[in-house]
Amino acid sequence: MAQPPATPAMAAAYGCAACGADLNLSASHLYPAGTYFEAGNKGTLSFSWVDESRLRFAAEDRIRPFFETLDYWGIQRKRTRVNCDACGKLLGHVYDDGPPLMEGTGQLGMGPSQVVPRRPRYRIKIKAVTAAGSSASAAAAAR
């Protein structure tokens, strides 16, 4: 009995949904599903590492009101756009709300906050990626 094709949420490797290019995104670099992030995680996969040679990055500054959480909002949002290097399709964004880069109570002993340097989190849209090899397996099944 043939197994159903892997969905993006359970794949071991991911490629671009628009052009099929291998993005070298591995499930081994995914944050656990229940991990809390200040910028949210709905409809996305969050990676701790990506192969930067297969992606294009562009800084994005927005100066208008935005809401990150119910208790925090601001006027300026800085993030980085992540595009497929092969076709230029928007895949997601890079946020700096990953785990802290240091242990301890933060700057001036004020506890963890935005003054604590954080690891980047590569937030990739589920609809922008596909399970790597799924198009090849679908073509093989059609034969």
Side-chain angles (χ1 to χ4, degrees):
M1 183 173 184
Q3 292 183 343
T7 61
M10 64 182 211
Y14 302 91
C16 179
C19 69
D22 179 22
L23 300 173
N24 198 19
L25 295 174
S26 171
S28 64
H29 297 291
L30 275 172
Y31 284 107
T35 306
Y36 171 78
F37 296 105
E38 291 175 4
N41 205 28
K42 185 176 180 181
T44 61
L45 300 169
S46 292
F47 293 89
S48 59
W49 178 88
V50 296
D51 184 356
E52 294 185 2
S53 67
R54 307 214 180 175
L55 303 170
R56 265 189 260 160
F57 298 92
E60 180 181 277
D61 263 345
R62 289 186 176 202
I63 300 179
R64 65 181 188 196
F66 68 92
F67 300 91
E68 286 187 355
T69 66
L70 293 175
D71 299 324
Y72 177 79
W73 64 276
I75 296 195
Q76 183 176 19
R77 170 183 285 178
K78 291 185 178 185
R79 61 184 185 181
T80 304
R81 294 172 55 99
V82 178
N83 298 313
C84 174
D85 195 39
C87 69
K89 177 85 172 170
L90 176 67
L91 299 173
H93 295 88
V94 180
Y95 292 91
D96 62 350
D97 64 351
L101 284 170
M102 57 180 261
E103 298 291 327
T105 58
Q107 190 174 19
L108 305 175
M110 294 182 175
S113 68
Q114 292 184 346
V115 296
V116 175
R118 296 188 172 274
R119 289 183 176 89
R121 174 176 63 112
Y122 301 90
R123 185 178 177 189
I124 307 296
K125 298 176 185 179
I126 291 176
K127 292 180 179 181
V129 294
T130 184
S134 65
S135 58
S137 61
R143 285 191 247 163

